[in-house]
Amino acid sequence: MDLQGDDLTEAVVASFDGSESDRYKTVMSALVRHLHAFAREVELTEDEYFTAIDFLTRTGQISTGTRQEFVLLADVLGLSMLTVGLGNRKPPEATQSTVFGPFFVEGSPEAQLGDDIANGAPGQPCLVSGKVLNTKGEPIAGALVETWQADEDGFYDVQKDLDGPQNRAHLATDAEGNYRFWAVKPVAYPIPDDGPVGELLRAGGRGPMRPAHIHFMVTAPGYSRLITHVFAAGDEYLDTDAVFGVKQSLIADFTEHQDDDKTYYSVEYDLVLATTEETQQ
Ligand SMILES: [Fe+2]
């Protein structure tokens, strides 16, 4: 039986008829149809096909527990932000979500309220504080706040050869919902562009820069997990984020302070969680 054109597409779709779940069948059928439509639209050549296979192979080969090249690929193609938008329909009072990014690491150190989590990372001291609230403005005590960010040189701890974590910790909110820690003032940084994703960006005439930000992941029983950033107001890359993650409501002022001859910064940002009932999946 010679299968070609639409018959080929439909035969591949039909091959998933015995899928273990309806959802799997729906997703795989749509994936096949869109992949085939894509190849037809661009009239994909065999050379391009082999280039793509090589690209994906190298994307896998460079990936490790701390180098998440596939996350980066999804990020620069906007798939991460698209998925964030589809999966996070919640009330306008709740803090908006943005990309998870490739630099989260399980098992961050536990910090107490007010601790310095920079742990010697280069950068200007920055006091990060706020409350974790529900959409009625009530504090959530005991919420788990995970945070991670780059240093003044634009590197996350996992990109450096270090003995211990820097600018990375988890802490619990107090009875009034407060979180508070010292880290360093975040700066704009390039996403890792020495691998396949960097090649993709250069071939597309695109830059690797992300505007300065602090990552947060907040969880509390009965609430939907919040994955977001707080961006620094005035950053020159807010409109050209390489991973399309900026939302206006996530931009905050980092205020400069002079204390004798020392300079430090502070930022205050409340993180508002939606309940699981308020979050339509
Ligand atoms: Fe980041």
Side-chain angles (χ1 to χ4, degrees), residues 103 156 189 210 213 215 229:
F103 295 117
Y156 286 78
Y189 68 81
R210 296 214 62 206
H213 59 272
H215 290 260
H229 304 355

Side-chain angles (χ1 to χ4, degrees), residues 98-161:
T98 187
V99 290
F100 191 45
F103 295 117
F104 176 74
V105 180
E106 292 281 353
S108 68
E110 182 178 356
Q112 304 302 316
L113 235 59
D115 276 358
D116 180 1
I117 67 165
N119 197 19
Q124 294 187 284
C126 184
L127 178 62
V128 185
S129 68
K131 285 178 181 288
V132 176
L133 304 168
N134 65 22
T135 57
K136 296 186 197 120
E138 298 160 343
I140 302 175
L144 179 66
V145 177
E146 285 267 8
T147 182
W148 64 104
Q149 64 162 92
D151 64 20
E152 185 179 55
D153 300 324
F155 292 114
Y156 286 78
D157 53 1
V158 292
Q159 296 176 283
K160 305 189 287 185
D161 195 14

